Amino acid sequence: MAQKLERVAVYPGTFDPFTNGHLSLVRRGLEVFDKVIVGVAKDSGKNPLFTLDERVEMIREVFRGQLRVEVEGFSGLLVEYVPSKGANTILRGLRAVSDFEYEFQMALMNRKLKPSIHTVFMMTDYRWLYISSTIIKDVARLGGVVEGLVPESILARVTARMEEKRNALALPVSGEPKLT
């Protein structure tokens, strides 16, 4: 009898921060794949709130004890990273039609670069259609409540980082008195 090959998908992203929408997609991916590797991108072209190591650490904490989820940082081309993990599938989430155009372009480019790599799209759970890491950061930066939008273990770190940023902006410059 032939041995069944493990179905492995790589779920790539910046995850700055990792949201409940991301969490939902990983959980749903585990219904289709034997293993999901959360690949935290270093080279995203974005200016992240958290370092690569911090993002990896936070996501590992979310999946602590979950043997079918692996979390690690990567750099370089995704189509080179995916096969290095014993996978041939990229898992991506779609929230709205606006996501589709960008994701479709990326999937086609990845297919051009490495035809053996497939992209599987899953619709985001309707509860998370409106959130993104960018929106989470914007709301938190302005002092809004993001509880329930990110995993509980990440909430405190997002809140603390935004508090640090707000305090840094309020510091007096070169001995000048602080304006209140």
Side-chain angles (χ1 to χ4, degrees):
M1 185 171 183
Q3 184 180 1
K4 182 183 170 196
L5 293 175
E6 187 177 45
R7 294 171 306 186
V8 179
V10 172
Y11 178 35
T14 307
F15 306 118
D16 184 49
F18 193 78
T19 70
N20 283 343
H22 297 132
L23 176 59
S24 173
L25 196 70
V26 171
R27 287 180 175 157
R28 292 175 52 233
L30 289 171
E31 295 175 16
V32 177
F33 299 98
D34 300 312
K35 181 183 200 179
V36 173
I37 299 167
V38 179
V40 184
K42 177 182 181 186
D43 307 317
S44 70
K46 298 177 181 177
N47 184 18
L49 180 63
F50 295 99
T51 67
L52 177 64
D53 289 341
E54 287 172 326
R55 288 179 277 143
V56 168
E57 178 185 321
M58 286 188 289
I59 300 168
R60 282 183 179 156
E61 189 174 319
V62 169
F63 292 107
R64 184 168 284 124
Q66 173 54 262
L67 302 177
R68 295 174 52 212
V69 178
E70 184 179 312
V71 182
E72 68 178 29
F74 78 96
S75 63
L77 286 173
L78 179 60
V79 293
E80 298 301 326
Y81 174 70
V82 170
S84 78
K85 301 309 297 176
N88 71 344
T89 306
I90 298 167
L91 176 62
R92 296 297 295 160
L94 294 174
R95 287 178 305 229
V97 174
S98 57
D99 286 347
F100 181 78
E101 185 174 347
Y102 172 77
E103 293 292 344
F104 189 65
Q105 287 176 325
M106 293 302 297
L108 288 174
M109 178 53 89
N110 287 336
R111 187 102 170 129
K112 171 73 175 153
L113 293 171
K114 189 146 317 220
S116 60
I117 303 293
H118 306 282
T119 301
V120 172
F121 297 104
M122 292 184 105
M123 294 304 299
T124 300
D125 187 292
Y126 70 92
R127 293 177 297 173
W128 313 118
L129 279 173
Y130 65 96
I131 66 167
S132 68
S133 294
T134 301
I135 289 173
I136 297 292
K137 287 186 288 195
D138 287 346
V139 169
R141 180 176 52 83
L142 296 170
V145 177
V146 295
E147 185 174 359
L149 303 177
V150 297
E152 199 61 38
S153 60
I154 291 176
L155 178 61
R157 293 186 72 169
V158 170
T159 304
R161 182 61 49 90
M162 288 305 182
E163 185 65 27
E164 289 170 16
K165 288 194 163 292
R166 282 193 296 273
N167 288 340
L169 292 174
L171 292 176
V173 180
S174 64
E176 295 174 8
K178 184 176 172 181
L179 299 175
T180 55

